[in-house]
Amino acid sequence: MDFGGAAAIGGVDNGGFDFMSWYMDIPVISRLYFTGAFLTTAGCALDIISPFSLYFNFDLIFFQGQIWRLLTTYLFFGMFSIDFIFHMYFLVRYCRMLEEGDFRGR
């Protein structure tokens, strides 16, 4: 998918990186996990979500009904940094390997 690059204007592909093609090539479950992790981190970086409302806390989950903490514990990898980029790289790589290898056709 090219959204207005050189191929759309002059008919010549410049050989650049096409983010949408890469993103859509990621298997569905891995793509959902990657998107959820990125959006959760973006929400925290923009102060829309507090990181303190994401962590696993038994009392808050089971006695106050904050069940989203069961999921968000696995979606937050810290604020945007080089560490976050490495986390996203390995998340996509190993989730994709699992989904395309061990769990293919299930």
Side-chain angles (χ1 to χ4, degrees):
M1 294 181 161
D2 190 10
F3 293 105
I9 297 170
V12 178
D13 186 17
N14 63 358
F17 181 73
D18 187 12
F19 179 77
M20 284 303 290
S21 293
W22 171 80
Y23 179 75
M24 295 309 287
D25 284 343
I26 300 172
V28 177
I29 303 300
S30 302
R31 188 176 347 142
L32 287 172
Y33 191 16
F34 171 69
T35 304
F38 182 82
L39 291 176
T40 302
T41 301
C44 289
L46 296 171
D47 287 331
I48 297 171
I49 306 167
S50 170
F52 295 110
S53 67
L54 302 176
Y55 72 95
F56 185 89
N57 184 321
F58 185 85
D59 292 334
L60 293 175
I61 293 168
F62 296 105
F63 297 126
Q64 295 187 16
Q66 297 180 7
I67 59 172
W68 67 83
R69 292 175 184 268
L70 291 170
L71 178 67
T72 57
T73 299
Y74 299 103
L75 294 177
F76 184 64
F77 290 91
M79 294 299 182
F80 288 123
S81 65
I82 191 74
D83 185 51
F84 175 76
I85 293 170
F86 279 111
H87 275 99
M88 292 300 99
Y89 171 76
F90 287 114
L91 179 135
V92 169
R93 179 172 182 204
Y94 290 115
C95 286
R96 182 179 201 155
M97 285 173 53
L98 276 172
E99 204 167 344
E100 290 176 343
D102 294 346
F103 293 103
R104 171 163 281 188
R106 292 185 189 189

